[in-house]
Amino acid sequence: MAEIALILGHPRPDGSYCRALAGAYADAARAAGHRVTLIEVAALEGDPVLRDPARHQRGEVPEALRPAQEAIGRAKHLVVIYPLWLGAMPALLKGFLEQVMTPGFAYTMGDGAKGRWTKGLKGKSARIIVTMGMPAFVYRWYFGAHSLKSLKRNILGFCGVGPIRATLFGGIEAVDDARRRGWLEQVADLGRRAA
């Protein structure tokens, strides 16, 4: 049995395909005996913008986000689901990550000129699932999947998460219902395997 923190990063999750993907993953994972904590970023209270960097550097987390941070801390596997907006993750999801990935929790910076750090989320794996309007191969090869790489390397990897795998669903508005059902089954299979 795996402990999973599933982060739904769509700013308007009701009726979104991202919500359907999160539901397929969570339902299949629970049916397989895994424990899943769903973190719906859009439903969290408080200001999504990190306005006090000093508070962040002290490792302070807004009270409304503390349960989400605790769920991430308990989890052995993280799943992040979001739509690609303007080539990147939605600002609401980025703001959430900025506020929960604090020093003392996600990482600890060392003293001195070498700038070494301790990775606080070591031992956790992750799956990133992204929906987008453009074909996924265009995002990967023409645009270099730059925002996905940033999330993998600069946020999750920096904090010690690994391995980090990604699943991209492109042309989301143009595909038929059969393709969408196939993608839901693909994500359900990931949930069953906690992958």
Side-chain angles (χ1 to χ4, degrees):
M1 181 179 94
E3 180 84 21
I4 301 168
L6 194 164
I7 302 165
L8 176 55
H10 197 299
R12 293 187 318 266
D14 290 342
S16 74
Y17 191 64
C18 286
R19 174 173 289 286
L21 292 169
Y25 189 101
D27 291 347
R30 288 179 181 128
H34 305 296
R35 185 172 167 183
V36 180
T37 301
L38 175 61
I39 302 165
E40 295 185 63
V41 176
L44 297 173
E45 294 182 13
D47 188 350
V49 177
L50 177 61
R51 297 186 190 277
D52 184 359
R55 185 190 79 209
H56 175 80
Q57 290 305 319
R58 291 189 302 268
E60 297 174 13
V61 179
E63 197 60 39
L65 300 183
R66 193 169 308 281
Q69 188 185 62
E70 291 168 357
I72 292 168
R74 283 190 312 271
K76 290 295 181 190
H77 185 62
L78 308 176
V79 179
V80 184
I81 301 176
Y82 65 92
L84 190 72
W85 282 7
L86 295 176
M89 73 177 79
L92 187 68
L93 176 58
K94 178 70 163 52
F96 167 79
L97 293 172
E98 287 175 354
Q99 293 195 65
V100 298
M101 298 299 195
T102 58
F105 168 70
Y107 62 93
T108 303
M109 294 305 296
D111 294 328
K114 293 189 178 185
R116 296 177 189 228
W117 74 97
T118 303
K119 298 177 178 188
L121 301 182
K122 210 166 186 172
K124 300 178 188 303
S125 59
R127 167 75 54 181
I128 302 168
I129 300 172
V130 185
T131 63
M132 62 192 70
M134 74 177 83
F137 76 89
V138 172
Y139 176 66
R140 282 192 189 274
W141 288 303
Y142 183 78
F143 291 102
H146 62 282
S147 70
L148 175 62
K149 288 179 183 176
S150 178
L151 176 57
K152 288 173 75 172
R153 181 182 52 230
N154 302 339
I155 299 173
L156 298 175
F158 177 81
C159 298
V161 177
I164 304 165
R165 294 180 175 87
T167 302
L168 306 179
F169 297 121
I172 198 75
E173 291 92 3
V175 299
D176 61 17
D177 288 342
R179 173 69 62 90
R180 285 177 179 242
R181 284 192 302 273
W183 288 344
L184 289 172
E185 184 50 47
Q186 180 181 342
V187 169
D189 181 59
L190 293 172
R192 282 188 284 278
R193 296 183 290 116

